Amino acid sequence: MEKGDMLYEGKAKKIFLTDKEDEVIQYFKDDATAFNAEKKGTILEKGVVNNKISTRLFQVLADAGIPSHFIQEINDREMLARRVNIIMIEVVVRNRATGSIIKRLGIEEGLFISPPLVEYFYKDDSLGDPLITEDHIRLLKLATPPQVTELRNQALKINDVLLPFFQQRGMMLVDFKLEFGLWNGQIILADEISPDTCRFWDIQTGERMDKDRFRKDLGRIEETYQEVLKRVSS
Ligand code: UDP
């Protein structure tokens, strides 16, 4: 497989074409951003760690019958993936309250949310990724109503697999963000699943094991990302 031109560069990843029309290379960078890119930095070896964590989680999901764009790991920083048309919606699943929802709704940090909550955000940096409803999605033609149902169902299925997976490894999966793409008329999971896109709290200590360490300057960022990799690899 040949690496071709860069198709797209985002905040944390680059996408390259390959000699196969329907396959791309997803390259993971060390760059980190927060608060709609107002805060910028680098997390040493983050690209390597997030590529490996995403690879492992896409494999776990595939074993549970949930397809994704993941095809195979190429090297430390790159995975081969199906070329999809990204649906411009960030689908967030929450098992406990933290982050934007506690500010928006005035609820208590750490509140258990059961059954889990699904939220949609419009993937548009210039608007600051606003929270949107199903009616907004219809208005903006981001997806059809049956597609929204499919996004929600897939997101909840993914939570059903990942929540116990992390629990067994001493981590509470607090919340996470997913992106999906259209591939041969089908909706499949895309992007990445990593400490950049999830929140994990250590079950024993309550320690934050995700990008909140960068967002809130909690220190020991690199070590924590490595610890997540170690636990998901077990
Ligand atoms: N998230 C993400 N990308 C974004 C916004 C959020 O990956 O652009 C993830 C975030 O890491 C967390 C979940 O989505 O796991 C919910 O984030 P929240 O809405 O609480 O936003 P934040 O507090 O990060 O502004």
Side-chain angles (χ1 to χ4, degrees):
M1 176 262 314
E2 293 265 318
K3 188 167 173 178
D5 292 341
M6 190 168 75
L7 182 64
Y8 169 82
E9 178 162 11
K11 290 182 289 247
K13 295 185 295 295
K14 294 178 189 176
I15 304 291
F16 293 91
L17 294 169
T18 67
D19 48 5
K20 283 198 183 163
E21 208 183 304
D22 57 347
E23 293 180 5
V24 292
I25 293 170
Q26 179 159 255
Y27 173 97
F28 288 75
K29 305 194 281 184
D30 285 350
D31 299 350
T33 61
F35 313 120
N36 201 23
E38 273 171 41
K39 178 169 178 160
K40 289 195 177 108
T42 306
I43 302 174
L44 206 67
E45 297 291 280
K46 174 172 81 77
V48 175
V49 172
N50 281 358
N51 185 33
K52 290 184 188 300
I53 293 172
S54 292
T55 292
R56 170 81 164 126
L57 296 177
F58 284 141
Q59 286 168 340
V60 166
L61 291 170
D63 290 347
I66 300 167
S68 74
H69 72 154
F70 175 79
I71 300 172
Q72 65 183 70
E73 198 175 357
I74 301 172
N75 57 43
D76 269 3
R77 284 184 185 269
E78 293 177 326
M79 65 169 63
L80 189 65
R82 297 185 176 88
R83 184 173 179 176
V84 301
N85 283 320
I86 290 286
I87 298 171
M88 299 305 274
I89 301 170
E90 300 193 337
V91 182
V92 168
V93 180
R94 300 183 188 272
N95 296 301
R96 291 187 75 174
T98 191
S100 69
I101 195 172
I102 63 174
K103 288 182 226 143
R104 195 181 321 116
L105 301 184
I107 55 180
E108 181 197 338
E109 162 104 5
L111 180 79
F112 283 90
I113 302 172
S114 184
L117 187 95
V118 179
E119 292 177 342
Y120 309 106
F121 293 85
Y122 182 21
K123 198 172 142 57
D124 185 319
D125 284 339
S126 67
L127 298 174
D129 296 346
L131 178 77
I132 49 176
T133 66
E134 290 195 41
D135 281 6
H136 294 142
I137 292 173
R138 184 156 38 83
L139 173 73
L140 295 170
K141 295 189 168 58
L142 302 178
T144 65
Q147 284 174 332
V148 178
T149 302
E150 173 77 14
L151 291 175
R152 177 183 168 84
N153 290 343
Q154 282 206 35
L156 289 172
K157 253 170 87 180
I158 291 165
N159 190 49
D160 284 345
V161 175
L162 295 185
L163 192 65
F165 176 85
F166 283 105
Q167 174 128 21
Q168 284 154 16
R169 288 156 182 82
M171 295 153 79
M172 170 77 210
L173 176 61
V174 172
D175 60 27
F176 57 97
K177 181 265 303 180
L178 302 170
E179 293 183 25
F180 293 87
L182 279 172
W183 178 73
N184 288 339
Q186 231 187 299
I187 291 180
I188 58 169
L189 177 63
D191 193 49
E192 66 177 288
I193 309 179
S194 74
D196 275 10
T197 63
C198 303
R199 285 194 177 98
F200 308 115
W201 294 351
D202 185 280
I203 288 173
Q204 299 257 301
T205 64
E207 196 181 25
R208 274 41 180 175
M209 302 184 70
D210 54 64
K211 203 163 91 173
D212 273 352
R213 303 203 75 81
F214 170 78
R215 292 189 187 98
K216 300 179 175 176
D217 295 317
L218 299 178
R220 295 183 36 257
I221 305 175
E222 281 84 1
E223 295 92 311
T224 306
Y225 273 62
Q226 295 284 352
E227 175 64 21
V228 175
L229 173 59
K230 196 173 125 192
R231 292 203 200 175
V232 303
S233 304
S234 69

